[in-house]
Amino acid sequence: MKKKRPNNQRITALYARLSRDDEKDGISGSIQNQRAILEKYASDNHLPNPKFFFDDGYSGVTFTRPAFMEIMELAEQGLVANFVVKDHSRLGRNRLVVGQLLEEDFVRLNIRYIAIMDNIDTANGVSDIVPMQDLFNEWHAKNTSDKVRRVMQSRGNSGIPLTTNVPYGYKKDPQDKNRWLVDEPAASVVRQIFQLSVSGLGPTQIARKLHSDGVMTPSEYLHSVGVNCPTKPPAYPHNWCSATVADILDRQEYTGDTVNFRSFSQSFKQKKRLDKPQEEWKIFPDTHPAIVDREIFALVQELRQHRRRPTKSLSQNKG
């Protein structure tokens, strides 16, 4: 049985969240504004040991947010007395998860939940209206997702690249973010990878050679030139992996084409994207400078498609 912590050891978690869509609401929804409201409420109501947490740029649909998870870890240790948000949608926009938090997890963890602007305070019980608010909050997230998807479909069908991060070997034109320029130091590595593939090496062998030659991985290179990269540099320098090499060899963008609609998400609640079959891609030829000749790219695809590992019976017959 979990040991109950004294109230003077437990904190009041003041939680703010802002998604990229919320930023359109301006200063009223900003992290700074939420913090000011939360801290004033905690002070006015004498809530113990207030500590501020925030997740900036995170959708309310997902709950794998760093600050939120930190609060819940503390809560499991019995260290959270109160969980306070500016409004109920800051907690989240997934009605099933929010419902479980309010009706089960916060009860089990002995946490008082307060949503200031919505007059929700579990110390006074949870109103029957709250599940309806959760439903409307989820509808808002779905409606926003639908609008974004329609905009992306329109952009993608017009030939504008949909990828947020340009492929390794390119960089965005400072004058036009939808235009790609060749990033020569990285592009030379891309060309080397294709030449090594043409010479008969597979992705694993290419990765080993790049590692032994001391070539920076894409994430190492981008960090070295001050470009934001979603992937952290490898723990060991120049530690290329075969999957990175294979991804580069698969990218038709290196021939100068824009390739849109490679992947899709099954639901606005799911961040994970699934691959679409190649026949459903939308391809716009010659939209940016090529790094690799079309003939080289086609040859590499053919070589990789027909390259097979020796079967067990073949290797035994050889011996």
Side-chain angles (χ1 to χ4, degrees):
M1 188 173 177
K2 189 181 293 182
K3 186 178 178 182
K4 195 169 181 180
R5 304 272 185 171
N7 280 334
N8 62 0
Q9 290 183 11
R10 303 173 78 209
I11 67 166
T12 292
L14 308 177
Y15 179 68
R17 180 185 63 79
L18 188 70
S19 73
R20 292 183 180 89
D21 295 317
D22 293 323
E23 289 170 4
K24 298 169 187 173
D25 296 335
I27 192 66
S28 63
S30 72
I31 294 293
Q32 293 84 355
N33 179 265
Q34 291 181 59
R35 180 172 191 165
I37 292 170
L38 292 167
E39 290 180 343
K40 184 177 187 306
Y41 185 90
S43 175
D44 291 348
N45 291 274
H46 311 292
L47 297 178
N49 306 323
K51 184 176 179 182
F52 180 67
F53 301 82
F54 72 95
D55 284 312
D56 196 355
Y58 286 85
S59 166
V61 171
T62 178
F63 287 79
T64 54
R65 314 173 213 139
F68 176 78
M69 292 192 293
E70 183 182 353
I71 294 172
M72 295 309 294
E73 285 174 11
L74 292 171
E76 291 291 348
Q77 298 169 36
L79 294 172
V80 179
N82 306 295
F83 192 123
V84 188
V85 291
K86 171 179 169 275
D87 62 76
H88 192 42
S89 66
R90 298 306 92 201
L91 178 61
R93 292 187 184 276
N94 184 321
R95 60 190 171 86
L96 297 177
V97 178
V98 171
Q100 180 178 320
L101 284 168
L102 263 63
E103 295 174 22
E104 297 180 24
D105 296 337
F106 289 168
V107 174
R108 172 177 61 84
L109 297 167
N110 190 29
I111 294 174
R112 177 187 178 188
Y113 171 73
I114 300 168
I116 301 168
M117 299 301 184
D118 293 308
N119 294 314
I120 297 173
D121 185 344
T122 55
N124 303 322
V126 178
S127 166
D128 292 339
I129 297 173
V130 172
M132 289 301 297
Q133 286 179 276
D134 292 336
L135 185 59
F136 281 115
N137 286 336
E138 185 173 299
W139 279 347
H140 174 83
K142 184 178 185 302
N143 185 47
T144 300
S145 175
D146 288 343
K147 287 178 180 176
V148 170
R149 186 166 59 250
R150 285 194 293 270
V151 169
M152 296 301 282
Q153 283 176 337
S154 175
R155 286 168 58 87
N157 284 320
S158 69
I160 296 173
L162 295 182
T163 180
T164 304
N165 302 297
V166 299
Y168 171 70
Y170 289 104
K171 58 185 177 182
K172 290 184 179 180
D173 185 341
Q175 307 302 320
D176 181 359
K177 64 180 181 180
N178 293 321
R179 186 166 174 260
W180 297 354
L181 304 175
V182 174
D183 184 7
E184 194 50 48
S188 65
V189 178
V190 172
R191 294 188 195 101
Q192 181 187 2
I193 288 171
F194 274 86
Q195 289 298 332
L196 290 170
S197 179
V198 169
S199 73
L201 299 186
T204 301
Q205 295 167 305
I206 294 172
R208 286 174 183 159
K209 177 164 178 51
L210 294 171
H211 174 67
S212 65
D213 290 349
V215 177
M216 284 191 288
T217 66
S219 57
E220 284 176 309
Y221 172 73
L222 291 173
H223 279 90
S224 74
V225 295
V227 175
N228 287 332
C229 177
T231 307
K232 291 182 179 178
Y236 300 99
H238 320 312
N239 192 21
W240 283 80
C241 65
S242 59
T244 301
V245 174
D247 182 61
I248 288 172
L249 292 172
D250 284 340
R251 294 299 291 262
Q252 187 174 334
E253 286 90 337
Y254 291 124
T255 65
D257 297 346
T258 291
V259 183
N260 286 336
F261 308 118
R262 284 177 176 269
S263 62
F264 71 102
S265 58
Q266 289 183 308
S267 165
F268 73 100
K269 294 182 182 180
Q270 300 291 327
K271 289 186 71 176
K272 184 179 179 181
R273 298 190 66 81
L274 304 175
D275 292 334
K276 276 189 174 184
Q278 193 166 347
E279 57 268 21
E280 294 183 23
W281 296 357
K282 193 88 171 180
I283 299 171
F284 300 86
D286 303 319
T287 56
H288 51 267
I291 291 175
V292 176
D293 292 341
R294 292 187 184 278
E295 294 77 11
I296 296 291
F297 182 81
L299 177 58
V300 166
Q301 305 318 303
E302 187 176 351
L303 288 171
R304 295 193 66 220
Q305 187 175 358
H306 292 94
R307 184 179 288 127
R308 295 285 184 267
R309 291 180 180 275
T311 63
K312 195 170 183 182
S313 58
L314 281 173
S315 60
Q316 285 174 343
N317 290 338
K318 275 188 175 182

